[in-house]
Amino acid sequence: MKNKSSAKVNNFLQKNNLHKKDFAQMIGVTLSYVYNLIDENIPFSTRSTTIERIAAVMGILPEDFEEYVIEDDPIPYNKNLEKLKEYIKKNNMEIVEFLKLFERKKRLKMVDILRGTTPLPIDFEELKEIKEILKINKEDFFEFWKSIFTEYLQKGGFDIEKNQTLLNCMLSCTKEA
């Protein structure tokens, strides 16, 4: 019996000229595991994390794999993540093209960011790499970072309204940088 999910992954790798070793690194598995994923005689992975990472790299929904079963609560909507995905689309990039522009050791983290399980970094310098890759202008980049930063503060218990003066001072200093 042919495995549709295995064929889907194999076709994606061939279509995107993506080496199995690079793909393994992007989804956080070994090269031999990737060979097992595309081997149509072996059952496809049922690990949710692996399927979610594969789907993120392929730019599809995990539900597109019949083996996918949601084990956890759904990941809440994140406007900043959606904004990042919009920037990728504006650059006419496929997700895999975007991922290839990062050094290998950062790709898995980017995959987890894209699938919503790792937050976007608030580190200005780390985000600058994304800015450069996606050719985001300075003003839009500042607004993007500001949104990520204020979301981070709010999740940590920072009351934006009560601390508006402090927040404005911090943001104005950053905008000058």
Side-chain angles (χ1 to χ4, degrees):
M1 177 181 134
K2 296 280 185 190
N3 183 314
K4 289 189 282 186
S5 296
S6 295
K8 187 181 294 190
V9 171
N10 196 27
N11 290 339
F12 173 81
L13 294 174
Q14 290 175 5
K15 177 184 167 208
N16 290 282
N17 197 24
L18 183 59
H19 191 280
K20 292 169 187 70
K21 183 177 179 182
D22 288 333
F23 185 67
Q25 198 275 328
M26 288 178 186
I27 64 171
V29 299
T30 64
L31 180 58
S32 63
Y33 191 87
V34 170
Y35 278 103
N36 286 338
L37 279 175
I38 61 175
D39 184 342
E40 295 183 359
N41 297 314
I42 297 173
F44 195 77
S45 175
T46 57
R47 292 186 59 222
S48 296
T49 300
T50 302
I51 293 175
E52 289 169 1
R53 286 177 175 164
I54 292 168
V57 171
M58 292 175 67
I60 62 176
L61 296 173
E63 292 85 356
D64 290 347
F65 292 102
E66 60 190 39
E67 296 83 358
Y68 182 66
V69 177
I70 299 173
E71 294 178 4
D72 303 319
D73 291 334
I75 295 169
Y77 172 79
N78 182 320
K79 67 179 180 184
N80 295 315
L81 176 57
E82 293 307 313
K83 188 70 176 169
L84 174 64
K85 290 178 180 179
E86 285 175 28
Y87 284 125
I88 294 169
K89 284 182 185 174
K90 280 183 185 176
N91 280 275
N92 295 317
M93 282 186 187
E94 295 293 328
I95 297 292
V96 71
E97 291 175 85
F98 172 70
L99 292 168
K100 284 181 179 180
L101 296 173
F102 290 90
E103 56 185 276
R104 290 176 191 244
K105 65 182 180 178
K106 288 188 177 182
R107 291 177 183 172
L108 179 60
K109 179 179 180 183
M110 287 307 303
V111 169
D112 285 342
I113 286 171
L114 289 169
R115 69 185 187 100
T117 58
T118 297
L120 282 156
I122 62 167
D123 182 277
F124 201 74
E125 291 301 316
E126 191 174 349
L127 268 177
K128 276 175 122 176
E129 184 177 8
I130 294 171
K131 171 193 182 281
E132 292 165 11
I133 287 172
L134 296 176
K135 301 172 183 86
I136 304 170
N137 70 48
K138 187 176 181 178
E139 187 65 34
D140 288 345
F141 175 68
F142 175 76
E143 291 301 319
F144 183 51
W145 173 82
K146 179 175 127 181
S147 180
I148 294 167
F149 184 67
T150 54
E151 177 186 60
Y152 178 82
L153 291 174
Q154 286 176 309
K155 285 182 179 178
F158 187 84
D159 188 324
I160 299 290
E161 289 180 27
K162 287 183 183 176
N163 295 289
Q164 192 65 52
T165 303
L166 173 62
L167 181 62
N168 288 342
C169 286
M170 290 188 310
L171 293 174
S172 66
C173 289
T174 305
K175 193 169 188 171
E176 301 304 317

